[in-house]
């Protein structure tokens, strides 16, 4: 399915792990949150790998090295090698290396992941804006304990005209206690102090997609993520298919409002969606769109949902099982996206989503 025609979620008779050769998986909000594995992630990834799907972990989080990420995943029960991890630190290091001389000094505002990636490209990470011959400033997520003074150090160099690069601009990052500020929030601090704009490498921009393709060699990739503005938009920009999982920052209401570049090919509750086919969404007789037992239509300023959960699946709330509720969400997506066209759907979906328990 091409990005230009994405006005409804796609169906797939084959399970996704058989329809695609490589899953390009985001980490935060997809595989783990706050360092702990998300429910069903370990077993689902093991099953997909055992059946021949290649797994690659693609993260905008530049804090940790691929070795550290691989070790963490392995500890969670997901055997992983460092070569299967692609980070925005690697993408931004390649971007910088293409614009400065070999061995150039780069001021690092962030963590060890940036330093290792710069050294891999033959560059020299430094800590002070006063270094002679400073060629660039690079900013990446440094964790909650990154000192405020590091933003000042970046500002001093950038205000003198040193080129500024950022690994990514995700404003938030999910954790076990909730949503916290991400590197994008830190980039905003430096932007306010300097009035400058960084060159950005991470998802959803082309440098990250290029880095991923170069390192994985994927032929039929499926991007799997939880964020519309990085994972799904990155897949859109790369013209590849995507699966949105609802285990991270995106909720059902945000999905219904998605503009074309933020609309995933498929949507599922969690990584178990890799192991199944995807139900087809079709035009319903009398108007609207049908998926499973649900029909959704844009009527009189609201998104209306008709139908009932399948009887054997109905729970105490009347919402049915998780799969049944997702069928309703897929139908709502088709109605909302078709109504919105190239824009964002502003119709009220509150009652419809409440019926689904979403």
């Amino acid at each position: 399915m091409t990005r230009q025609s994405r006005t409804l979620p796609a169906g797939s008779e084959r399970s996704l792990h058989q329809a695609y050769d490589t899953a390009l998986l985001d980490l935060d909000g997809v595989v783990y949150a706050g360092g702990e594995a998300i429910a069903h992630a370990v077993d689902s990834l093991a099953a997909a790998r055992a059946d021949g799907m290649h797994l690659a972990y693609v993260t905008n989080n530049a804090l940790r090295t691929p070795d550290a990420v691989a070790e963490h995943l392995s500890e969670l029960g997901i055997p992983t090698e460092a070569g299967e991890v692609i980070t925005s630190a690697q993408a931004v290091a390649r971007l910088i290396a293409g614009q400065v001389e070999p061995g150039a000094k780069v001021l690092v505002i962030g963590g060890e992941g940036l330093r290792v990636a710069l050294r891999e490209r033959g560059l020299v990470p430094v800590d002070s804006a006063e270094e002679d011959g400073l060629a660039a400033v690079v900013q990446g997520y440094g964790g909650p304990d990154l000192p405020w003074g590091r933003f000042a150090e970046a500002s001093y160099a950038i205000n003198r005209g040193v080129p500024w690069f950022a690994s990514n601009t995700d404003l938030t990052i999910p954790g076990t206690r909730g949503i916290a500020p991400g590197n994008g929030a830190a980039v905003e601090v430096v932007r306010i102090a300097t009035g400058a704009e960084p060159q950005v490498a991470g998802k959803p921009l082309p440098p990250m997609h290029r880095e991923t393709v170069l390192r994985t060699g994927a032929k039929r990739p499926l991007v799997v993520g939880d964020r519309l503005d990085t994972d799904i938009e990155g897949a859109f920009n790369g013209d590849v298919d995507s699966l949105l999982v609802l285990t991270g920052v995106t909720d059902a209401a945000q999905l219904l409002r998605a503009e074309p570049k933020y609309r995933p090919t498929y949507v599922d509750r969690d990584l178990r969606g890799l192991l199944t086919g995807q139900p087809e969404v079709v035009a319903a007789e009398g108007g609207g769109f049908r998926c499973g037992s649900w029909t959704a239509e844009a009527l009189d300023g609201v998104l209306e949902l008709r139908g009932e959960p399948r009887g054997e699946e109905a729970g105490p709330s009347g919402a049915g099982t998780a799969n049944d509720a997702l069928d309703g969400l897929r139908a709502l997506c088709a109605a909302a996206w078709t109504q919105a066209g190239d824009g964002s759907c502003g119709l009220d979906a509150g009652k419809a989503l409440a019926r689904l328990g979403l």
Side-chain angles (χ1 to χ4, degrees):
M1 186 177 190
T2 66
R3 65 185 187 178
Q4 289 81 8
S5 63
R6 199 164 297 162
T7 56
L8 72 168
S12 176
E13 293 184 358
R14 300 175 66 192
S15 65
L16 298 185
H17 78 292
Q18 294 173 334
Y20 299 90
D21 69 341
T22 305
L24 305 179
L25 296 133
D26 184 43
L27 287 172
D28 293 297
V30 175
V31 178
Y32 55 63
E36 298 298 323
I38 289 173
H40 310 294
V42 174
D43 291 344
S44 297
L45 294 175
R49 185 191 290 273
D51 214 17
M53 188 178 216
H54 178 60
L55 307 179
Y57 302 95
V58 185
T59 178
N60 265 359
N61 190 331
L63 178 60
R64 296 189 295 170
T65 66
D67 283 314
V69 173
E71 181 179 359
H72 179 203
L73 289 171
S74 298
E75 289 172 351
L76 293 177
I78 306 169
T80 306
E81 298 180 359
E84 296 173 311
V85 179
I86 301 95
T87 74
S88 63
Q90 294 171 320
V92 76
R94 189 187 295 271
L95 183 63
I96 295 169
Q99 300 181 37
V100 303
E101 296 297 323
K105 297 177 181 178
V106 180
L107 174 62
V108 175
I109 311 300
E112 186 63 15
L114 281 176
R115 297 175 184 277
V116 169
L118 290 169
R119 294 189 189 106
E120 185 183 52
R121 292 289 155 205
L123 303 173
V124 179
V126 299
D127 293 321
S128 173
E130 306 309 315
E131 287 277 352
D132 291 336
L134 189 64
V137 177
V138 64
Q139 187 172 358
Y141 183 63
D145 298 323
L146 184 68
W148 187 262
R150 299 306 296 157
F151 305 143
E153 203 68 25
S155 300
Y156 301 148
I158 295 164
N159 280 328
R160 293 201 303 267
V162 178
W164 178 27
F165 297 81
S167 63
N168 67 298
T169 52
D170 297 37
L171 290 172
T172 60
I173 186 168
T176 54
R177 296 175 59 193
I179 303 299
N183 190 54
V187 167
E188 285 299 314
V189 171
V190 177
R191 180 185 282 118
I192 290 168
T194 63
E197 290 291 334
Q199 295 185 53
V200 183
K203 297 180 286 187
L205 297 174
M208 188 67 170
H209 183 71
R210 180 168 61 250
E211 190 74 21
T212 301
V213 170
L214 287 171
R215 290 180 181 267
T216 65
K219 303 300 182 184
R220 299 189 317 279
L222 177 69
V223 171
V224 184
D226 70 308
R227 303 183 71 106
L228 301 180
D229 60 350
T230 54
D231 305 316
I232 305 308
E233 186 181 0
F236 177 90
N237 290 337
D239 206 12
V240 299
D241 287 348
S242 61
L243 167 65
L244 177 78
V245 291
L246 300 177
T247 48
V249 301
T250 300
D251 61 24
Q254 291 169 322
L255 178 61
L256 296 181
R257 295 193 296 268
E259 299 174 13
K261 64 183 178 180
Y262 300 140
R263 297 171 187 168
T265 314
Y266 312 105
V267 58
D268 222 308
R269 189 171 295 270
D270 52 50
L271 285 177
R272 287 176 294 180
L274 281 176
L275 306 178
T276 66
Q278 294 288 309
E280 188 176 11
V281 182
V282 298
E285 293 184 10
F289 296 87
R290 178 173 55 80
C291 185
S293 62
W294 300 100
T295 298
E297 188 173 5
L299 288 172
D300 300 323
V302 301
L303 288 173
E304 182 179 286
L305 190 66
R306 301 189 296 273
E308 296 294 337
R310 290 183 285 271
E312 70 277 9
E313 297 180 343
S317 69
T321 66
N323 287 339
D324 192 50
L326 282 168
D327 285 346
L329 178 59
R330 294 176 182 115
L332 285 168
C333 283
W337 298 350
T338 300
Q339 187 276 337
D342 291 335
S344 174
C345 180
L347 301 183
D348 182 9
K351 290 183 178 180
L353 293 177
R355 287 195 66 191
L356 299 173
L358 298 172

